[in-house]
Amino acid sequence: DAGVTQSPTHLIKTRGQQVTLRCSPKSGHDTVSWYQQALGQGPQFIFQYYEEEERQRGNFPDRFSGHQFPNYSSELNVNALLLGDSALYLCASSLRGFNQPQHFGDGTRLSIL
Amino acid sequence: KNQVEQSPQSLIILEGKNCTLQCNYTVSPFSNLRWYKQDTGRGPVSLTIMTFSENTKSNGRYTATLDADTKQSSLHITASQLSDSASYICVVSAERGSTLGRLYFGRGTQLTVWP
């Protein structure tokens, strides 16, 4: 049973470019959340998708957008990249519900030059 | 403001020793509290989840406690092993009007176990 898979594992971009990160949730999970983790910091919530709609959003600008597909997989898009966007981007999947455990992927390491 | 504070920021212990990590939170309304272990370069892995009515939960050598009145939690690691070296993150879930909770993360405690 595959867990959460993310691609690519590493990515290097330059300022102003656009990037798309991908996430396949754990089998049976229908909810996907995205997090940004700067070096030495805890993850920061970006947004959460359920039933192909953005349900909740953290304090991130509109440059950050996402999508969830009918098969529950998800994409995170970031436009007009800034140096400060360099971070580990984590995807987590779960079932609906407050007390459902989240399963994390190993993330995509994004470096902006 | 919903916040999760962890202490200490970092900790070094010798293999075989015990240690306790602390977490204080101001998240409201409270739904549950989770402890995660994050190895370098990997995603977090869940250790425990505790709801309001639970005040202790164990997972092998890891024991988490929760005092919902004082909004404090601790993670106790017994007989530490080299593989315990990692960041330990406290996460608090807030209830919302929908069935989808919102998670608030602490910055983590970086634990290093020396041989």
Side-chain angles (χ1 to χ4, degrees), chain A residues 21-69:
Chain A
L21 310 182
R22 295 176 174 82
C23 172
S24 293
K26 180 179 170 65
S27 178
H29 285 181
D30 55 9
T31 302
V32 173
S33 301
W34 286 92
Y35 298 87
Q36 181 194 67
Q37 187 176 25
L39 200 62
Q41 304 292 318
Q44 297 292 315
F45 174 72
I46 302 175
F47 42 54
Q48 184 177 64
Y49 276 84
Y50 173 69
E51 291 184 337
E52 302 179 49
E53 290 190 17
E54 183 182 298
R55 301 292 178 167
Q56 298 183 56
R57 189 179 183 91
N59 296 324
F60 279 81
D62 293 343
R63 300 187 297 109
F64 290 77
S65 63
H67 190 78
Q68 185 180 35
F69 300 94

Side-chain angles (χ1 to χ4, degrees), chain A residues 31 35 37 41-43 45 48 50 55-58 88 90 96-102 104-106, chain B residues 31-32 34 36 38 41-44 49 51 89 93-96 98-103 105-107:
Chain A
T31 302
Y35 298 87
Q37 187 176 25
Q41 304 292 318
F45 174 72
Q48 184 177 64
Y50 173 69
R55 301 292 178 167
Q56 298 183 56
R57 189 179 183 91
L88 179 68
L90 294 165
R96 287 182 68 186
F98 290 115
N99 298 327
Q100 296 298 325
Q102 285 200 334
F104 283 82
D106 286 335
Chain B
S31 175
N32 60 68
R34 313 164 186 221
Y36 283 86
Q38 185 174 23
R42 305 296 300 272
I49 299 178
T51 60
I89 304 175
S93 176
E95 284 193 13
R96 293 183 60 90
S98 72
T99 59
L100 300 177
R102 167 80 182 268
L103 298 183
F105 287 73
R107 290 188 173 187

Side-chain angles (χ1 to χ4, degrees), chain A residues 98-99, chain B residues 4 23-25 30-36 46 48-52 54 57 64-67 71-75 89-94 103-104:
Chain A
F98 290 115
N99 298 327
Chain B
V4 178
C23 173
N24 297 329
Y25 62 92
F30 175 86
S31 175
N32 60 68
L33 186 144
R34 313 164 186 221
W35 283 94
Y36 283 86
S46 179
T48 62
I49 299 178
M50 288 184 293
T51 60
F52 184 89
E54 298 174 296
K57 183 164 281 190
T65 64
L66 173 65
D67 186 334
K71 299 186 176 182
Q72 295 180 327
S73 176
S74 66
L75 180 69
I89 304 175
C90 176
V91 183
V92 181
S93 176
L103 298 183
Y104 294 87

Side-chain angles (χ1 to χ4, degrees), chain A residues 40, chain B residues 6-22 35-40 47 61-62 75-89 107-115:
Chain B
Q6 292 187 243
S7 62
Q9 184 176 349
S10 62
L11 183 62
I12 300 174
I13 62 173
L14 294 177
E15 186 178 13
K17 298 297 186 181
N18 304 334
C19 67
T20 300
L21 315 180
Q22 301 290 341
W35 283 94
Y36 283 86
K37 177 187 179 186
Q38 185 174 23
D39 293 311
T40 302
L47 295 175
R61 294 179 298 101
Y62 302 101
L75 180 69
H76 187 72
I77 305 174
T78 59
S80 61
Q81 301 175 358
L82 298 179
S83 60
D84 292 333
S85 295
S87 177
Y88 291 84
I89 304 175
R107 290 188 173 187
T109 291
Q110 184 64 47
L111 175 66
T112 303
V113 181
W114 283 2

